[in-house]
Amino acid sequence: FRYLRLTDDLVFSAEGLVGGGTDTGTRIWSGENDLVGAQLGGDGWICLRQGLRIGGEAKAGIYNNRFKFNNSADLPGVASDFSSDTEGNQVAFAGEGSISMVMDILPSLSLRGGYQVLYLNSLATAANNVDASNFNSTAVLTQADVLYHGFNGGLEFIW
């Protein structure tokens, strides 16, 4: 069982001349994705020498994505202010993988470093819903993908 939550907001704010003065307009896209489901995974390790090992793990899962998305605009001097909320459920996939190296410094203290990747799909994200050809569109696209990856490092203490 696993629960994942991804939220993102994108705010565009611009200042312009309206009726001889300046005013600010704001456009907001806000996405909230709650993924609940089951995953399956495994790991494997190889001892390179005493006190030094390398290993990897992989996980994959199918989830229900309960998404909420908000489009809103506050445009001064224009009658096109709006706020649109969209909610729904859809099937989503998440995959995660990592490779790590662990070096024992003391019997209960190790130095650990590695690289991780997390992939999610079928999301309602702010960046995926910005339509440059129709800035005031309230249509919601719910099939975005995200990929997070990076290095990690630290100390591991076992008692």
Side-chain angles (χ1 to χ4, degrees):
F1 174 79
R2 188 171 189 184
Y3 169 73
L4 296 162
R5 181 177 173 88
L6 176 75
T7 61
D8 68 333
D9 299 307
L10 179 63
V11 178
F12 176 78
S13 185
E15 189 172 295
L17 297 173
V18 176
T22 60
D23 211 341
T24 302
T26 305
R27 182 74 166 86
I28 299 171
W29 297 267
S30 179
E32 186 178 300
N33 297 273
D34 292 300
L35 287 78
V36 177
Q39 73 177 18
L40 186 63
D43 68 342
W45 288 87
I46 298 172
C47 184
L48 300 175
R49 57 175 293 180
Q50 185 176 351
L52 182 63
R53 57 197 176 278
I54 188 168
E57 70 176 49
K59 303 175 195 171
I62 301 292
Y63 301 87
N64 176 57
N65 179 13
R66 173 78 177 139
F67 67 88
K68 296 178 185 175
F69 195 82
N70 176 267
N71 279 319
S72 61
D74 180 15
L75 307 171
V78 180
S80 62
D81 291 352
F82 63 86
S83 181
S84 169
D85 290 312
T86 304
E87 294 185 17
N89 290 290
Q90 64 186 7
V91 176
F93 168 81
E96 183 177 0
S98 68
I99 187 163
S100 300
M101 183 174 277
V102 179
M103 181 176 67
D104 295 334
I105 299 170
L106 297 170
S108 61
L109 186 64
S110 302
L111 184 62
R112 181 183 193 104
Y115 187 75
Q116 281 188 285
V117 176
L118 173 65
Y119 170 76
L120 306 170
N121 81 340
S122 296
L123 304 171
T125 62
N128 194 48
N129 280 285
V130 176
D131 185 356
S133 64
N134 183 4
F135 197 62
N136 287 334
S137 172
T138 58
V140 177
L141 303 174
T142 62
Q143 294 301 311
D145 300 320
V146 296
L147 178 70
Y148 298 105
H149 62 97
F151 292 96
N152 60 65
L155 293 172
E156 184 177 82
F157 180 75
I158 300 171
W159 67 92

